[in-house]
Amino acid sequence: MKKKLLSVLLSVTVLASALSFTACSDKDKNGNTDEKATEGELTVYTALEDEQVSTYLEDFNKKYPDIKVNVVRESTGIITAKLIAEKDNPQADVVWGTAASSMMVLDDQGGLKGYAPEGVERILPEFKSDKDTPTWVGIDAWETAIVVNTEEAEKLNLPEIKSYDDLLDPAFKGHIVMSNPNSSGTGFLTVSAVLQLMGEDEGWEYLDKLDENIAMYTHSGSKPAKMASSGECAVGISFGYAGLSQKEDGAPVEVIFLEEGSGWDLEANALINKDEINPVAYTFLDWAISDSAMALYKENYPIITTNDVGEYEGYEGDPLEQLIENDFSWAASSRDDILKTWMEKYDAKSEAEE
């Protein structure tokens, strides 16, 4: 492995003890309870793509036709801000498929409740909370990749890209699109990786220079890949599978993983800390790491978090080898400062809000 994966370790203190659900509840040492339900209604916040949500929920609805799932879908940044704003009066029951770095921020603030879903022992240690009763559980990982439209690159006579420094070549001025880390999890993991790989001072200097070549910052992590695919830009800083799927669909793109390594994050699930836990939330979280759910996730993000991943379709090698040593604890604690600094420096190039 290029850089040994760092076990995701948190050094946070649980701010409030778990409340009992009812006087007759029976919880085991993992926080599991006998109050799971197979009928009812729950509210799920997610940053998963709309088309993914509908496909995944078909599987859930087949298994639990008497549970109505109300989905609130937004980008990672918006979901994170919403969860933090609602922390003292939570509206969601469950978070599904939202960046682990965001989950850690909420966990630090006492917004998550420990729960060990059925089958959690299948999840590799580096992909879930290290607490005795995990406060979040990862389902899949995604990593920074550069998506190049080969036709546009040839037309513009753009140089080859292998490293982060290559993106600073003046030939790329106005031809690169990247996502805004305030709204996009992909944008945040990319900026976080630069700061970790280069150090904060040098990292911000690098991002200053990169900004000179950026045409626009999008609010979606997959949009730069789609724009490169359609020829709207020559180079999109996106994530691996977004580019690979465009290539599979016949787009004239090349997907490049930079030689220094890729920033990455996990899509994770968590139980929201509320005075009264919705019993169907446990049922949903159990399903959300089931074999059938994992098989669906793997169709969109080949890096899933169980220990039986098998082949990584579309990748030339094992994508785990590409992932940098990621300090999630630092990323979570530094998140606000990173986003504030980024906004002050580069937000003028962000696309207009829809």
Side-chain angles (χ1 to χ4, degrees), residues 32 36 115-122 282 285-287 289-290:
N32 297 313
K36 297 176 187 179
Y115 176 63
E118 290 181 8
V120 73
E121 67 281 352
R122 295 159 35 255
Y282 301 113
L285 289 172
D286 288 351
W287 165 82
I289 65 164
S290 65

Side-chain angles (χ1 to χ4, degrees), residues 272-289:
I272 295 296
N273 190 10
K274 305 174 75 168
D275 289 343
E276 294 186 15
I277 302 297
N278 187 339
V280 296
Y282 301 113
T283 304
F284 186 88
L285 289 172
D286 288 351
W287 165 82
I289 65 164

Side-chain angles (χ1 to χ4, degrees), residues 46-107:
T46 184
L48 295 167
E49 299 291 337
D50 287 324
E51 60 270 22
Q52 294 170 3
V53 170
S54 58
T55 300
Y56 299 163
L57 285 182
E58 285 180 12
D59 183 74
F60 179 80
N61 292 332
K62 286 178 183 177
K63 293 178 171 61
Y64 301 102
D66 296 323
I67 295 178
K68 180 182 179 183
V69 181
N70 301 311
V71 174
V72 176
R73 192 273 160 192
E74 295 285 358
S75 64
T76 298
I78 294 173
I79 285 292
T80 304
K82 189 173 178 66
L83 287 165
I84 291 172
E86 295 175 355
K87 182 176 64 67
D88 295 329
N89 184 28
Q91 302 302 301
D93 296 305
V94 164
V95 185
W96 176 39
T98 300
S101 55
S102 295
M103 294 300 92
M104 294 178 194
V105 173
L106 198 64
D107 197 15

